[in-house]
């Protein structure tokens, strides 16, 4: 069984190798004439005002946190989904209870406005 | 010795998968420019021909190759304030998973390089990796446009990944397996047995999320040429930019392949179970059906790019969180009930094992 994973490892190595080789080709064949104007960060013709690593909206962070909760939920659903065909009413109801708890949480965050963007 | 032969065989198979994939990516860019051109009553690229016997009549057929050579000889600009190391490896980080995901795709019955029983989980892991390339690229560039594009793109990709994950859960319930070959086998019967019919909302959501996941129009706020110039790859040029481009198109083809495998019966003939047509088309190899179905999805990608205006960012997030996630949750319950009552013709067969 485990030898089926060997091609995957090779595939990843080859993927990285192709990317690396293409980058190296780009550096070898491309011209290289740097000057301060060309190398400055792009800002519609202005000189860059300040460092680009500025404060950003906290909502992006909120989305990331909500994503973790829901992604974990999906991870819990996967094994259940694979066996549901051979399982019975008990497994179905167990998952429905689990899902309804999460749906309550989802409704709560919706009502709290965590999903609003304006 | 035996190990060496085994390793060489694997490497040969990888080449057999990757070369057509790379050619497909190259010619998808040409198809995009041609199709969108014709939709806008233009001709598209028509100057560069291939100097080969039959192909030299096809105008513009050499364009992708000319583009590749052009990008090779372009300067790679390294911005002053960027983090050099991250800046250079970011394209490779987004490219490698887009390629590696193809290891578990079955192209026809038995035509699969690595037949693992967690195939779908592996695909989900690999497609999730693509967001790292974007994040690292935007952060390392140290440019305001790049950072804005990165933030947007990261939030959008993770939001649609949830809807996508729930859609996959629906497929798993219907198929009872994580192995992609088994998922196709579970759709055997006729084109009414394919999962697009019982999972119709999930099918639509999967494909739309796939478009959002690859940052394609109408969800391309990460690039948004007209507002943040090019988003996360604004500072990239030359070959490094080309790698991002390749990764994006490889991901598009991957989403098309997955949608065909999971919802449109993969390599199964659409004429299965139809009296006269089935024997008439029985000689067609399965891979042609798969490629045909993939072409439909790829055309949809290009068509929607030519047709729809770009979504506003708050609309994208609303669609992802407030429309797709509730629909998928409801449909998972619906599928659960359908499996419990063994609804024919999809759920009346008890899964093996």
């Amino acid at each position: 069984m485990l030898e089926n994973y060997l091609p995957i490892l090779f595939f990843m190595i080859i993927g990285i190798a192709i990317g690396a080789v293409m980058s190296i080709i780009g550096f070898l064949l491309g011209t290289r004439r740097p000057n301060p104007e060309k190398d400055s960060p792009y800002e519609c013709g202005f000189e860059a005002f300040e460092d680009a690593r500025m404060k950003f909206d906290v909502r992006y962070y909120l989305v990331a946190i909500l994503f973790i909760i829901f992604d974990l939920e999906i991870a819990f659903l996967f094994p259940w989904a694979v066996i549901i065909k051979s399982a019975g009413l008990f497994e179905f109801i167990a998952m429905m209870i689990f899902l309804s708890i999460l749906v309550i949480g989802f409704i709560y965050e919706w009502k709290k406005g965590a999903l609003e963007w304006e | 010795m035996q190990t060496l032969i085994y390793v060489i065989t694997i490497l040969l198979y990888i080449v057999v998968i990757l070369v057509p994939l790379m050619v497909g990516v190259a010619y998808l860019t040409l198809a995009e420019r041609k199709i969108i051109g014709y939709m806008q009553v233009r001709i598209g690229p028509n100057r560069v021909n291939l100097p080969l016997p039959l192909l030299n009549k096809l105008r513009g057929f050499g364009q992708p190759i000319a583009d590749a050579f052009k990008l090779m000889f372009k300067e790679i600009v390294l911005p002053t304030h960027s983090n050099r190391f991250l800046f250079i490896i970011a394209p490779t980080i987004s490219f490698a998973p887009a390629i590696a995901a193809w290891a578990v795709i079955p192209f026809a019955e038995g035509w699969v390089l690595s037949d693992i029983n967690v195939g779908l989980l592996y695909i989900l892991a690999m497609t999730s990796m693509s967001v790292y390339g974007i994040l690292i690229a935007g952060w390392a560039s140290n440019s305001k446009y790049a950072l804005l594009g990165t933030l947007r793109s990261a939030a959008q990709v993770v939001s649609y990944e949830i809807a996508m994950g729930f859609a996959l859960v629906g497929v798993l319930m219907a198929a009872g397996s994580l192995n992609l070959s088994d998922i196709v086998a579970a759709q055997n019967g006729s084109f009414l047995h394919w999962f697009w019919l019982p999972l119709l909302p999930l099918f639509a959501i999967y494909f739309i999320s796939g478009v959002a996941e690859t940052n394609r129009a109408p969800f391309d706020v990460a690039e948004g040429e007209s507002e943040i110039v090019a988003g996360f790859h604004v500072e990239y040029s030359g070959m490094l930019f080309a790698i991002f481009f390749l990764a994006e198109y490889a991901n598009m083809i991957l989403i098309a392949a997955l949608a065909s495998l999971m919802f449109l019966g993969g390599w199964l003939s659409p004429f299965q179970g139809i009296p006269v047509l089935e024997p008439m088309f029985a000689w067609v190899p399965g891979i042609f059906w798969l490629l045909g179905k993939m072409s439909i999805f790829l055309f949809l990608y290009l068509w929607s790019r030519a047709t729809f205006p770009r979504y506003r960012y708050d609309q994208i997030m609303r669609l992802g969180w407030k429309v797709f996630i509730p629909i998928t949750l409801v449909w998972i319950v619906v599928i659960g009930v359908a499996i419990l009552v063994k609804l024919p013709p999809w759920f009346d067969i008890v899964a093996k094992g």
Side-chain angles (χ1 to χ4, degrees):
Chain A
M1 194 60 231
L2 210 60
E3 78 251 14
N4 274 331
Y5 290 86
L6 193 64
I8 291 181
L9 181 69
F10 281 3
F11 230 111
M12 285 174 181
I13 293 169
I14 285 181
I16 294 168
I18 293 175
V21 166
M22 282 200 295
S23 311
I24 291 166
I25 286 177
F27 278 107
L28 287 181
L29 296 182
T31 46
R32 189 102 184 85
R33 290 195 204 87
N35 70 53
E37 294 300 319
K38 196 197 275 173
D39 287 355
S40 66
Y42 176 78
E43 205 150 307
C44 288
F46 290 111
E47 301 257 329
F49 289 124
E50 57 194 359
D51 196 62
R53 278 136 198 197
M54 51 198 174
K55 291 178 195 164
F56 55 83
D57 201 333
V58 72
R59 282 202 194 109
Y60 291 109
Y61 184 64
L62 196 62
V63 167
I65 290 179
L66 292 178
F67 163 72
I68 291 173
I69 300 168
F70 277 90
D71 217 36
L72 270 181
E73 182 182 345
I74 292 168
F76 281 128
L77 275 169
F78 263 47
W80 171 79
V82 172
I83 56 108
I84 181 67
K85 268 192 166 175
S86 47
L89 195 62
F90 174 75
E91 285 83 354
F92 179 72
I93 290 171
M95 189 44 87
M96 286 308 114
I97 293 168
F98 175 69
L99 271 185
S100 53
I101 293 169
L102 277 150
V103 166
I104 292 167
F106 185 62
I107 293 168
Y108 176 75
E109 82 188 38
W110 189 323
K111 292 285 170 212
K112 272 283 179 189
L115 307 177
E116 303 295 331
W117 274 84
E118 214 72 56
Chain B
M1 191 60 203
Q2 214 166 10
T3 341
L4 190 71
I5 290 170
Y6 179 64
V7 167
I8 289 172
T9 327
I10 292 176
L11 290 178
L12 275 179
Y13 278 129
I14 292 177
V15 170
V16 168
I17 294 172
L18 278 188
V19 170
L21 177 66
M22 284 297 130
V23 174
V25 165
Y27 279 91
L28 181 59
T29 63
L30 178 70
E32 173 166 38
R33 292 166 71 176
K34 275 284 184 191
I35 288 170
I36 293 178
Y38 277 109
M39 283 179 178
Q40 295 167 345
V41 206
R42 298 182 283 118
I43 301 176
N46 65 338
R47 296 284 153 183
V48 191
N49 287 358
L50 280 181
L52 294 172
L54 279 163
L55 297 172
N56 59 6
K57 290 281 183 285
L58 291 165
R59 292 179 150 239
F61 215 67
Q63 189 69 45
I65 294 158
D67 282 340
F69 277 103
K70 180 198 73 179
L71 283 166
M72 253 182 232
F73 290 101
K74 287 277 179 189
E75 176 172 358
I76 295 175
V77 178
L78 296 172
T80 335
H81 299 296
S82 61
N83 297 37
R84 289 284 166 92
F85 178 65
L86 290 179
F87 188 82
I88 291 166
I89 65 161
T92 307
I93 290 177
S94 71
F95 178 76
I99 293 297
W102 285 88
V104 295
I105 301 284
F107 295 95
E109 192 152 14
W111 290 20
V112 50
L113 179 57
S114 117
D115 196 20
I116 55 174
N117 50 14
V118 290
L120 206 56
L121 208 58
Y122 171 73
I123 292 276
L124 196 67
M126 284 298 130
T127 50
S128 310
M129 290 278 281
S130 65
V131 73
Y132 287 104
I134 294 172
L135 267 177
I136 292 172
W139 178 257
S141 303
N142 202 352
S143 158
K144 280 165 200 147
Y145 290 109
L147 187 74
L148 283 174
T150 295
L151 287 173
R152 287 179 175 193
S153 168
Q156 174 190 332
V157 168
V158 297
S159 302
Y160 280 85
E161 206 169 290
I162 297 168
M164 202 177 206
F166 277 131
L168 293 183
V169 168
V171 174
L172 289 185
M173 291 168 72
S177 171
L178 277 159
N179 184 310
L180 284 162
S181 305
D182 289 349
I183 290 173
V184 174
Q187 301 176 58
N188 207 358
S190 72
F191 76 99
L192 292 175
H193 285 73
W194 298 352
F195 289 155
W196 66 273
L197 196 54
L199 306 178
L200 192 58
L202 299 185
F203 173 40
I205 287 172
Y206 179 79
F207 185 64
I208 296 170
S209 303
V211 175
E213 192 97 329
T214 44
N215 288 316
R216 295 288 300 179
F219 303 103
D220 59 342
V221 287
E223 292 176 25
E225 302 92 332
S226 51
E227 24 184 311
I228 51 168
V229 201
F232 65 93
H233 56 54
V234 63
E235 302 288 354
Y236 280 88
S237 60
M239 221 42 200
L240 293 184
F241 169 75
I243 299 171
F244 269 126
F245 211 71
L246 287 175
E248 180 178 328
Y249 281 78
N251 269 326
M252 278 168 69
I253 302 179
L254 182 69
I255 296 285
L258 288 174
S260 332
L261 286 171
M262 294 188 303
F263 295 101
L264 287 189
W267 60 79
L268 300 174
S269 159
F271 301 116
Q272 248 184 341
I274 300 172
V276 187
L277 289 169
E278 188 184 2
M280 225 161 93
F281 286 93
W283 56 273
V284 180
I287 188 164
F288 283 102
W289 297 122
L290 180 65
L291 291 177
K293 290 163 189 173
M294 282 164 66
S295 314
I296 295 171
F297 287 111
L298 289 172
F299 182 74
L300 277 177
Y301 257 107
L302 307 180
W303 189 7
S304 58
R305 177 163 177 205
T307 311
F308 296 121
R310 184 178 301 130
Y311 265 84
R312 222 169 54 216
Y313 197 67
D314 61 312
Q315 291 172 330
I316 289 183
M317 297 310 263
R318 193 178 60 212
L319 185 70
W321 285 96
K322 294 191 176 175
V323 180
F324 283 179
I325 291 177
I327 292 177
T328 44
L329 276 173
V330 168
W331 209 258
I332 284 173
V333 178
V334 170
I335 297 290
V337 173
I339 287 173
L340 271 188
V341 300
K342 304 212 184 302
L343 185 76
W346 305 291
F347 306 118
D348 48 351
I349 315 145
V350 178
K352 46 194 187 303

